[in-house]
Amino acid sequence: METPDKITIRRPDDWHVHLRDGAVLEAVAGHTARAFARAIVMPNLAPPVTTIDDALRYRDHIRAAVGDNATFTPLMTCYLTDEADADEIRRGFDEGVFSAVKLYPAGATTNSAMGVTDMSRVSGVLEMMQDIGMPLLVHGEVTDPEIDIFDREAVYIERVLSPMLSDFAALKVVFEHITTSQAVAFVRAQGPRLGATITAHHLLIDRNDMFKGGIRPHLYCLPIAKRKGHRLALLEAATSGEESFFLGTDSAPHAINLKEAACGCAGVFSAPAALELYAHVFDQAGALDKLEAFASLNGPAFYGLPANEDTVSLVREDWQIPVAVHTAGDADILSFMAGETLSWKLAD
Ligand code: DOR
Ligand code: ZN
């Protein structure tokens, strides 16, 4: 079948993004707002977003960074700690400030030190969330140093996620940025109360790419990219149209000097070409007709929100991914696949 030169889909949303704050926020927010109507904004600032006031302040910063005339809606999340206050979280959800709670196992990734040390510490909060239908967004990796970094997601399913879903049988959960065939199979087996986001970079790279001709720190992220077979399982899931799988870029900006370092930060900054990267991947898979479900319909359905009314068009046109984004803090942030040519472009 011939593929078209233009596709029009409902405007998509990004169900997992890091916008940071301050100069970095100013530099990156527009890239997300350019393509997406809404975004679930991660709360792993330093210090993290744990209260309604934190979220309102942060939301104001985001709105200011995007500018007055943009129609972008940031959806705020609450960072779960051992000391989390269930009443505060419930009130934040009732008042429409918090859309979800983010669970970072303590020590799993960037700014996760304040995360949860033991699931028993947050059972009261999870019970409350289950009662009110508030989604829990999970960074699904164990932190046990004995577990190989490439196995941390699969082991998390057995040790934490599966027991949690049994204990809280009605809790809505998003398994964020899944990277393994085990996660794909697990999500499918759970039915509609478990969703999963899939990043563009995990659809495009496998672990070999991190070491192609040398070490490639800009491809280092968490969960780390796995073997090719896992990537193909993600690709099959994303392009299946199934409701459980939806778009979440996990675009995670870090200054170049913090990536190209003896101990570099985890994170791939994909926002400058995020939607186009997904279009490229779906086109290569012969599945452009499934892009709208993945990018624009499945996420809202999971969150109980309407799909966006307006549309965006992507046209078949070569363009180069901008190499870097400059911040007023004087740090450059390198884009994922910087300078490479993509054949799908968001129309103005
Ligand atoms: O690669 C990652 N970067 N994974 C995460 O879970 C966090 C993120 C970040 O905040 O930089
Ligand atoms: Zn993330």
Side-chain angles (χ1 to χ4, degrees):
M1 196 182 72
E2 226 174 284
T3 51
D5 289 331
K6 178 177 178 181
I7 61 163
T8 298
I9 60 173
R10 296 268 198 145
R11 185 176 289 278
D13 307 297
D14 185 349
W15 299 99
H16 183 132
V17 71
H18 300 266
L19 298 177
R20 316 298 190 205
D21 207 345
V24 175
L25 169 64
E26 297 285 334
V28 306
H31 290 280
T32 291
R34 157 191 89 92
F36 300 106
R38 297 168 288 199
I40 284 276
V41 181
M42 288 297 126
N44 62 331
L45 304 181
V49 177
T50 57
T51 66
I52 295 171
D53 279 353
D54 292 342
L56 289 174
R57 231 184 345 259
Y58 186 29
R59 191 171 69 183
D60 283 346
H61 294 179
I62 296 167
R63 285 181 176 153
V66 168
D68 288 344
N69 47 14
T71 53
F72 174 72
T73 304
L75 303 174
M76 310 310 290
T77 58
C78 177
Y79 184 112
L80 190 59
T81 69
D82 285 351
E83 276 73 48
D85 178 352
D87 290 337
E88 173 85 1
I89 295 173
R90 174 198 284 265
R91 195 160 62 82
F93 186 67
D94 287 346
E95 292 176 4
V97 179
F98 290 137
S99 294
V101 167
K102 178 66 190 273
L103 163 63
Y104 289 103
T109 187
T110 305
N111 291 341
S112 65
M114 304 270 291
V116 174
T117 62
D118 189 313
M119 291 304 288
S120 67
R121 307 287 294 268
V122 294
S123 51
V125 174
L126 300 188
E127 201 139 311
M128 177 279 292
M129 291 171 63
Q130 166 172 265
D131 287 347
I132 65 174
M134 184 177 194
L136 179 72
L137 317 182
V138 176
H139 182 108
E141 289 192 285
V142 292
T143 53
D144 181 347
E146 288 300 307
I147 303 297
D148 189 276
I149 187 169
F150 294 99
D151 297 333
R152 286 181 190 166
E153 182 175 286
V155 173
Y156 188 85
I157 297 172
E158 288 164 37
R159 286 196 189 170
V160 186
L161 188 55
S162 180
M164 181 181 78
L165 294 174
S166 305
D167 290 348
F168 303 92
L171 184 64
K172 282 174 77 168
V173 176
V174 181
F175 196 173
E176 297 287 345
H177 42 51
I178 59 170
T179 59
T180 58
S181 58
Q182 291 94 327
V184 169
F186 186 75
V187 170
R188 283 193 166 130
Q190 291 296 314
R193 60 86 166 237
L194 180 65
T197 52
I198 302 179
T199 75
H201 52 281
H202 289 116
L203 293 171
L204 280 157
I205 61 165
D206 59 51
R207 64 190 201 175
N208 281 330
D209 293 298
M210 284 187 294
F211 306 104
K212 214 177 198 166
I215 192 155
R216 307 267 176 180
H218 294 283
L219 300 184
Y220 172 60
C221 62
L222 290 170
I224 200 158
K226 309 296 193 296
R227 288 177 183 274
K228 181 180 177 185
H230 293 290
R231 182 175 67 78
L232 296 178
L234 299 175
L235 185 60
E236 194 273 324
T239 58
S240 68
E242 288 166 49
E243 286 213 319
S244 308
F245 302 105
F246 40 90
L247 186 158
T249 63
D250 198 17
S251 178
H254 291 278
I256 288 179
N257 60 306
L258 299 178
K259 295 281 298 170
E260 298 174 5
C263 186
C265 295
V268 162
F269 176 51
S270 58
L275 183 60
E276 293 90 341
L277 288 163
Y278 284 106
H280 168 81
V281 165
F282 275 63
D283 187 19
Q284 299 275 300
L288 274 175
D289 60 325
K290 297 294 197 306
L291 183 63
E292 184 175 47
F294 178 76
S296 316
L297 304 177
N298 297 349
F302 179 87
Y303 278 86
L305 296 169
N308 296 307
E309 284 299 331
D310 63 332
T311 59
V312 297
S313 294
L314 288 142
V315 290
R316 190 186 291 283
E317 181 187 323
D318 283 354
W319 69 295
Q320 278 189 328
I321 300 177
V323 172
V325 167
H326 188 70
T327 76
D330 230 25
D332 280 352
I333 300 160
L334 205 72
S335 308
F336 177 56
M337 289 175 52
E340 290 192 40
T341 300
L342 283 180
S343 51
W344 285 95
K345 192 173 191 299
L346 186 62
D348 302 324

